[in-house]
Amino acid sequence: MSGKYLVTGGAGYVGSVVAQHLIEAGHEVTVLDNLSTGFREGVPAGASFIEGDIRDAAKWLDATYDAVLHFAAFSQVGESVVKPEKYWDNNVGGTMALLAAMREAGVRRLVFSSTAATYGEPETTPIVETAPTRPTNPYGASKLAVDHMITGEAAAHGLGAVSLRYFNVAGAYGAQGERHDPESHLIPLVLQVAQGRREAISVYGDDYPTPDGTCVRDYIHVADLADAHLLALKAAVPGEHLICNLGNGNGFSVREVVETVRQVTGHPIPEVMAERRAGDPAVLVASAETARERLGWTPSRADLAGIVADAWAFAQNIAREQ
Ligand SMILES: NC(=O)c1ccc[n+]([C@@H]2O[C@H](COP(=O)([O-])OP(=O)(O)OC[C@H]3O[C@@H](n4cnc5c(N)ncnc54)[C@H](O)[C@@H]3O)[C@@H](O)[C@H]2O)c1
Ligand SMILES: O=c1ccn([C@@H]2O[C@H](COP(=O)(O)OP(=O)(O)O[C@H]3O[C@H](CO)[C@H](O)[C@H](O)[C@H]3O)[C@@H](O)[C@H]2O)c(=O)[nH]1
């Protein structure tokens, strides 16, 4: 059955890919985005677009919407350390206003973009949802605060909600991909080296307790993530807040990622060693058992070379357009 969905942050990387998947599945999509970090041209054809802020969501939200998919947020870990107030204001304040608008309008289902950054430095790997949540930066803390807000909203007011805790999102889906400005994520930065837009990739620390000394992360294809959002919409039950990790359960080191980019692009990719980046845990790998059991989710694009190849095709297309 087709539905009508409000996608906040749908001009950004993940939101635009999920909006595209919703449209392809026959749903009606309205994107609400203030274009603070997103791009108007990122909004998929076929979606309605409102240029506006989630803090004003009450202006547009009404009972005709079946659910909200909430991606709008600031998400730069480093910036959150120096400007924490920006993160509390937008991520927490903005979501409070959005939840109030949903309550007012009688919209009873929510899928929220949470993050592995809610866990902080893990005690055990792979990380399960019941692991301690001790974020090491204000970005993770703001997302954890929102998760707590949603739990209360579900218990008190009957919201049906699913928080999806993404690990490291990567890859692209056709015309939708990653173009943060400034870019801080590893794979798009290494691809910029392959394109000649950067001389070398800085490797942030090689003295971590990992096999090659560089940080290990769980890279998940953005299209697999999108599949999980469509399943989460079906799994949202009134009065329940379900939290699911989304990752492949495979860790790759920074050096392995750089080597994969060399193989995919054929470029030598010079590396320079740099200091550790503040707040970086050594290893972040997900257990996605809850998503498998409760959502029926199975990722189908776990191969790192395939993820990098899709991101590379997108980066080359964008470069041709510019
Ligand atoms: N990319 C990742 O690796 C990753 C990992 C974990 C969690 N997340 C979460 O996923 C979500 C999407 O991340 P992304 O990488 O696509 O980021 P993005 O910056 O590309 O997209 C965020 C979008 O939200 C919009 N926005 C921000 N504040 C707004 C507001 N107040 N009102 C309306 N629109 C607003 C921006 O303009 C942008 O289009 C975020 O909530 C992020 O915290 C991302
Ligand atoms: O130029 C760079 C950029 C990154 N890295 C390293 O590459 C790894 C991945 O870094 P990213 O910035 O690509 O991703 P993060 O792991 O820092 O962040 C991601 O995972 C976080 C969980 O901790 C949050 O979910 C966040 O939103 C999401 O982007 C890290 O070890 C980082 O130190 C480098 O060595 N050089």
Side-chain angles (χ1 to χ4, degrees), residues 12-14 33-34 36-38 53-54 71 90 139 143 166 180:
Y13 172 39
V14 182
D33 198 300
N34 65 6
S36 51
T37 60
D53 198 289
I54 49 170
F71 301 90
N90 197 34
Y139 163 64
K143 287 280 174 172
Y166 316 157
H180 297 118

Side-chain angles (χ1 to χ4, degrees), residues 53-236:
D53 198 289
I54 49 170
R55 282 164 281 215
D56 300 321
K59 282 190 202 163
W60 304 288
L61 207 54
D62 62 39
T64 62
Y65 285 96
D66 295 295
V68 173
L69 296 101
H70 178 32
F71 301 90
F74 292 139
S75 61
Q76 299 250 352
V77 170
E79 184 190 53
S80 79
V81 176
V82 289
K83 293 183 187 165
E85 67 285 2
K86 183 173 168 182
Y87 283 71
W88 293 107
D89 177 39
N90 197 34
N91 297 359
V92 179
T95 306
M96 266 177 81
L98 180 67
L99 289 177
M102 289 178 68
R103 211 183 300 130
E104 190 76 9
V107 180
R108 306 292 300 279
R109 282 190 295 156
L110 173 73
V111 179
F112 171 63
S113 303
S114 188
T115 167
T118 53
Y119 295 110
E121 188 74 53
E123 280 168 11
T124 51
T125 294
I127 301 173
V128 292
E129 292 82 357
T130 49
T133 41
R134 291 186 290 243
T136 50
N137 52 66
Y139 163 64
S142 72
K143 287 280 174 172
L144 182 61
V146 171
D147 275 340
H148 288 315
M149 258 160 54
I150 293 171
T151 302
E153 191 74 18
H157 303 300
L159 182 72
V162 181
S163 285
L164 298 173
R165 289 192 172 154
Y166 316 157
F167 280 60
N168 286 59
V169 189
Y173 185 68
Q176 266 82 36
E178 189 164 13
R179 45 161 120 178
H180 297 118
D181 185 18
E183 190 50 73
S184 66
H185 288 152
L186 179 64
I187 291 176
L189 285 173
V190 186
L191 293 175
Q192 288 182 5
V193 180
Q195 287 179 317
R197 296 168 61 197
R198 261 171 212 275
E199 285 193 359
I201 187 73
S202 298
V203 175
Y204 296 149
D206 63 355
D207 56 352
Y208 285 96
T210 60
D212 67 15
T214 66
C215 288
V216 169
R217 293 290 182 273
D218 184 342
Y219 294 88
I220 173 167
H221 197 294
V222 68
D224 280 339
L225 207 69
D227 291 342
H229 286 74
L230 271 71
L231 293 167
L233 283 169
K234 292 189 195 144

